Amino acid sequence: MTWRDPIAVMRALIQKAHPYRGLGAPNPVVAAAVIRDGQWVADGVHVRAGCAHAEVLALDQAGDLAQGATLYVTLEPCTHWGKTPPCCDAIISAGIAHVVWAVDDPSPHVRRLPAQSVLEAAGIGVTGGVLADHARFLNPAFHRPTSDAPFITLKLAQSLDGKLALDNGDSAYLTSVSARRYVHQIRNAVDAIVVGAQTVWMDDPELTIRHGVEHAQAPAVIVASRDPNTPKRLCDTRLFAVDRPVYTTTLSTAGITHVQRVNANGTLGPSEPISAVWGSPYLLVEGGGIVANQLLQAGVVDELMVMIAPCILGGSRGWGGNSPDALDRCLRYSHTHVHQFDDTVMIQGLTGV
């Protein structure tokens, strides 16, 4: 097979990068490939912060074959020093003739010194924007249009008939092991996991990062509840078995705006705007149809991840909230991708890209 179509190359790179989402947090997942005379010479994926970026991995693998070749990358190459040198320096040194990327890097460092200006000054051709909308699916929070409000990813695991659990509440291990590992990768990238109090009382979850996903620390937890007894009860759950902050919140028509930290003795700290706790909050909502419905009705869910298991549960534990009176008023995600995790299918939807 020859690789002369930029769209085909970029689509393959996006597919290559997707399984690694979250592993390199706080960095975005990026894939790169060196293409020479229509041949796929080398590739790389950035999967850990502080380690070599995808472009450098691909260039090192290509060696002398990078001279005069085209480098494809899912994200605009960096132009600044961080934990690693600028990728543009490596691209210039390798003798690459042309660079093609999917989506611009919104980071302030790169916007002050765009890769296009650096590479073109070195005589390297540049093409940007190839499958940009598709590439944003790899790192949707990274490409958020504004950092003022939380970026909220809602993850739901359901049966083929749209049920989240049996009527007795049992929903453990509904999806495949590979699907659950992927969710733990997303946990590694977020600031906090949001669950409803009923999920905590029913399942007593740890909400940690497992399945072999390397991580520095467990994400914080936010428990949605209006019950004044919730903070005291939380102290007896497994949430406090891990060294990480636990908060409560009361959901409003604006979603999640304020949180209160739960102290080890069950008392509450002051109410704080969520943007004061985390500068650009990234939240993963995992627990409960009630919380999911409230956030969907509030219109604050930026990304929807629905894991569909190959089973029928029946019963009444579905999700989606109240039905509108007309189809043209239903909540619709206009940008969707479908992914497979063994016997589990995931539908990923974004409200905007």
Side-chain angles (χ1 to χ4, degrees), residues 23 25-26 188 209 213-219 243:
L23 291 179
N188 187 49
I209 300 172
V213 177
E214 293 188 14
H215 59 282
Q217 62 183 31
D243 183 19

Short mmCIF file of all heavy atoms in Angstrom, two decimals, residues 23 25-26 188 209 213-219 243:
data_model
loop_
_atom_site.label_atom_id
_atom_site.label_comp_id
_atom_site.label_asym_id
_atom_site.label_seq_id
_atom_site.Cartn_x
_atom_site.Cartn_y
_atom_site.Cartn_z
N LEU A 23 -2.93 8.81 28.54
CA LEU A 23 -1.72 8.23 29.13
C LEU A 23 -0.63 9.27 29.35
O LEU A 23 0.16 9.16 30.28
CB LEU A 23 -1.20 7.10 28.25
CG LEU A 23 -2.05 5.82 28.19
CD1 LEU A 23 -1.41 4.81 27.26
CD2 LEU A 23 -2.23 5.23 29.58
N ALA A 25 -1.04 12.49 30.01
CA ALA A 25 -1.53 13.68 30.71
C ALA A 25 -0.47 14.23 31.66
O ALA A 25 0.27 13.46 32.28
CB ALA A 25 -2.80 13.32 31.49
N PRO A 26 -0.36 15.56 31.74
CA PRO A 26 -1.27 16.56 31.19
C PRO A 26 -1.05 16.90 29.72
O PRO A 26 -1.72 17.78 29.19
CB PRO A 26 -0.98 17.79 32.07
CG PRO A 26 0.48 17.66 32.39
CD PRO A 26 0.70 16.18 32.59
N ASN A 188 -7.02 9.49 34.26
CA ASN A 188 -5.66 10.00 34.44
C ASN A 188 -5.51 11.43 33.92
O ASN A 188 -4.60 12.14 34.33
CB ASN A 188 -4.66 9.08 33.72
CG ASN A 188 -3.23 9.44 33.99
OD1 ASN A 188 -2.83 9.64 35.14
ND2 ASN A 188 -2.43 9.55 32.94
N ILE A 209 -7.23 5.10 39.79
CA ILE A 209 -6.73 4.75 38.45
C ILE A 209 -6.05 3.40 38.55
O ILE A 209 -5.05 3.25 39.27
CB ILE A 209 -5.76 5.82 37.94
CG1 ILE A 209 -6.46 7.18 37.86
CG2 ILE A 209 -5.21 5.44 36.56
CD1 ILE A 209 -5.53 8.34 37.56
N VAL A 213 -2.62 1.53 34.35
CA VAL A 213 -2.38 2.88 33.84
C VAL A 213 -1.48 3.63 34.81
O VAL A 213 -1.83 3.85 35.96
CB VAL A 213 -3.71 3.64 33.66
CG1 VAL A 213 -3.45 5.07 33.20
CG2 VAL A 213 -4.61 2.91 32.67
N GLU A 214 -0.28 4.01 34.35
CA GLU A 214 0.65 4.74 35.21
C GLU A 214 0.11 6.14 35.49
O GLU A 214 -0.40 6.81 34.59
CB GLU A 214 2.02 4.84 34.54
CG GLU A 214 2.73 3.49 34.41
CD GLU A 214 4.15 3.65 33.94
OE1 GLU A 214 4.68 4.79 33.97
OE2 GLU A 214 4.75 2.64 33.53
N HIS A 215 0.24 6.57 36.74
CA HIS A 215 -0.30 7.87 37.11
C HIS A 215 0.45 8.42 38.32
O HIS A 215 1.05 7.67 39.09
CB HIS A 215 -1.79 7.75 37.44
CG HIS A 215 -2.09 6.79 38.56
ND1 HIS A 215 -2.09 5.42 38.37
CD2 HIS A 215 -2.38 6.99 39.87
CE1 HIS A 215 -2.37 4.82 39.51
NE2 HIS A 215 -2.55 5.75 40.44
N ALA A 216 0.40 9.73 38.47
CA ALA A 216 1.07 10.38 39.59
C ALA A 216 0.21 10.37 40.84
O ALA A 216 0.71 10.16 41.94
CB ALA A 216 1.44 11.81 39.22
N GLN A 217 -1.09 10.59 40.68
CA GLN A 217 -1.99 10.60 41.82
C GLN A 217 -3.42 10.37 41.34
O GLN A 217 -3.73 10.54 40.16
CB GLN A 217 -1.92 11.94 42.56
CG GLN A 217 -2.35 13.14 41.72
CD GLN A 217 -2.19 14.44 42.46
OE1 GLN A 217 -1.32 14.60 43.29
NE2 GLN A 217 -3.05 15.40 42.16
N ALA A 218 -4.26 9.95 42.27
CA ALA A 218 -5.67 9.74 41.94
C ALA A 218 -6.36 11.09 41.76
O ALA A 218 -6.03 12.06 42.43
CB ALA A 218 -6.35 8.94 43.04
N PRO A 219 -7.32 11.18 40.84
CA PRO A 219 -8.05 12.44 40.69
C PRO A 219 -8.92 12.72 41.90
O PRO A 219 -9.28 11.80 42.65
CB PRO A 219 -8.90 12.20 39.43
CG PRO A 219 -9.04 10.72 39.35
CD PRO A 219 -7.78 10.14 39.91
N ASP A 243 -5.28 9.14 49.24
CA ASP A 243 -4.84 10.50 49.53
C ASP A 243 -5.18 11.41 48.36
O ASP A 243 -4.39 11.59 47.44
CB ASP A 243 -3.34 10.52 49.81
CG ASP A 243 -2.84 11.92 50.19
OD1 ASP A 243 -3.68 12.74 50.58
OD2 ASP A 243 -1.62 12.16 50.10
#
